[in-house]
Amino acid sequence: GKEGCKSPPREWTPELEQDYNRILSVGEECISAAELKALLTAKGRGSEHTTGFNLYDGFEPSGRMHIAQGVFKAMNVNKCTFPGTNA
């Protein structure tokens, strides 16, 4: 269920806002902005959660990849694995 995404009473910080904006800059399928904010508040940077949260990358290349695609992919992965994004 959705019980795992409920936000504990915790302040929304500038760091969480940065993480939120960074994830949305590369995310194509986000259920809702409110759900992402709840997830970051509950399990993101500075939370007491021990494992954080996971982002799924559904990239499935077909054929040969152009070097620019590889560079772009690396840049997006780096945005998602930025320190603090997955606490």
Side-chain angles (χ1 to χ4, degrees):
K2 301 223 178 209
E3 299 81 27
C5 286
K6 288 186 180 175
S7 299
R10 192 161 85 97
E11 185 178 335
W12 186 254
T13 65
E15 291 82 10
L16 288 174
E17 185 71 25
Q18 289 173 349
D19 295 344
Y20 172 80
N21 289 329
R22 188 174 40 262
I23 291 168
L24 282 183
S25 77
V26 298
E28 292 183 13
E29 294 180 24
C30 181
I31 304 286
S32 74
E35 188 172 9
L36 178 57
K37 281 189 173 187
L39 178 66
L40 286 170
T41 303
K43 296 182 177 183
R45 182 194 320 216
S47 74
E48 302 278 329
H49 200 274
T50 57
T51 59
F53 62 93
N54 295 312
L55 298 170
Y56 172 74
D57 180 1
F59 180 67
E60 296 179 23
S62 61
R64 300 180 98 184
M65 241 175 107
H66 187 275
I67 188 68
Q69 289 173 300
V71 170
F72 186 67
K73 183 65 181 164
M75 289 170 53
N76 285 341
V77 168
N78 285 339
K79 285 181 182 180
C80 293
T81 57
F82 187 83
T85 300
N86 190 351

